[in-house]
């Protein structure tokens, strides 16, 4: 659930969150929520409201928060019992107006380890960083090294559908992630339309029957 919450009645939001929790789904506030709170200098008020509403997790996004603010969200979120997912990486690499290249693997590892040491529940690896890295001749080797250094259970690989287009394109990345890091690799930004197909990939079944 995201920033559209502000357009809904509070009791309706709480009802939706309760429904998710009743079915074993932990509500997660995306990065834009903490980002807007930081701009308005009300992070503590925002986190208190998330807890009261029934959220169990919040994202600290590298695109909307400075590194000190990310650390602040981690600490204050953790103090309130929230799981904080901290994002690492540059967005829109190679896009018009975006950065030209990805962070070095060494810098990514150092940043991820620092965030985990600060109390982040997991670190999110920005998808355009992964795509840019894998275009290099030793990109996959570096990604494997990153997982070895940080720990696969600590990393969530971001897979935004809008960045890669069709299921055929997306499934190639998903298959690579699952083959290299196991069926329980953490995947983020998964479209609800693709959940069953991804589960088939995790269990080594064909996704054709789901998506045609």
């Amino acid at each position: 659930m995201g920033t559209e919450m502000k357009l809904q009645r509070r009791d309706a939001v709480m009802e939706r969150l309760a429904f998710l929790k009743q079915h074993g789904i932990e509500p997660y506030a995306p990065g834009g929520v903490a980002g807007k709170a930081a701009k308005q200098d009300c992070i503590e008020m925002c986190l208190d409201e998330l807890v009261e509403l029934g959220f169990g997790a919040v994202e600290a996004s590298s695109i909307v928060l400075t590194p000190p603010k990310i650390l602040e969200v981690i600490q204050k979120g953790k103090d309130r019992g929230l799981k904080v997912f901290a994002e690492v990486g540059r967005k829109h690499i190679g896009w018009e107006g975006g950065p030209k290249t990805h962070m070095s693997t060494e810098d990514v590892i150092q940043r991820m380890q620092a965030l985990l040491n600060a109390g982040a529940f997991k670190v999110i690896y920005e998808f355009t960083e992964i795509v840019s890295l894998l275009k290099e001749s030793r990109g996959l080797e570096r990604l494997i090294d990153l997982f070895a250094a940080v720990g696969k259970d600590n990393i969530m690989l971001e897979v935004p559908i809008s960045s890669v287009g069709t299921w055929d394109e997306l499934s190639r990345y998903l298959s690579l992630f699952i083959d290299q890091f196991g069926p329980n690799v953490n995947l983020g930004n998964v479209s609800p339309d693709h959940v069953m197909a991804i589960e088939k990939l995790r269990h080594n079944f064909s996704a054709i029957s789901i998506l045609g």
Side-chain angles (χ1 to χ4, degrees), residues 167-182 187 201:
W167 167 256
D168 286 343
E169 292 173 300
L170 177 64
S171 64
R172 285 197 287 271
Y173 288 104
L174 293 169
S175 296
L176 174 66
F177 297 158
I178 291 168
D179 288 344
Q180 291 295 327
F181 308 117
L187 302 173
L201 289 175

Side-chain angles (χ1 to χ4, degrees), residues 34 38 43 47 58-60 65 68-78 84:
I43 287 179
L47 296 174
V58 63
E59 179 184 335
L65 294 171
K69 284 296 181 182
I70 290 178
L71 295 176
E72 181 181 352
V73 172
I74 291 172
Q75 186 58 61
K76 291 180 177 178
K78 186 179 177 183
V84 181

Side-chain angles (χ1 to χ4, degrees), residues 18-71:
F19 176 82
L20 293 173
K21 294 171 75 173
Q22 287 170 7
H23 291 80
I25 301 172
E26 185 167 60
Y28 172 105
V33 174
K36 288 182 181 297
K39 288 181 179 180
Q40 298 174 15
D41 196 26
C42 59
I43 287 179
E44 292 193 33
M45 186 183 302
C46 172
L47 296 174
D48 287 340
E49 177 69 1
L50 291 177
V51 172
E52 190 171 340
L53 286 170
F55 280 91
V58 63
E59 179 184 335
S61 172
S62 59
I63 196 170
V64 293
L65 294 171
T66 62
K69 284 296 181 182
I70 290 178
L71 295 176

Side-chain angles (χ1 to χ4, degrees), residues 119-140:
F121 176 66
K122 293 191 188 301
V123 287
I124 303 170
Y125 198 12
E126 158 60 33
F127 186 70
T128 55
E129 281 272 348
I130 302 171
V131 171
S132 180
L133 177 65
L134 291 176
K135 288 178 179 178
E136 298 182 353
S137 59
R138 296 181 59 201
L140 179 57

Side-chain angles (χ1 to χ4, degrees), residues 78-100:
K78 186 179 177 183
D79 289 345
R80 289 162 171 79
L82 290 167
K83 296 175 182 177
V84 181
F85 291 72
E87 186 181 48
V88 176
R90 300 166 181 163
K91 287 187 179 290
H92 307 147
I93 295 170
W95 296 18
E96 184 176 355
K100 294 183 179 179

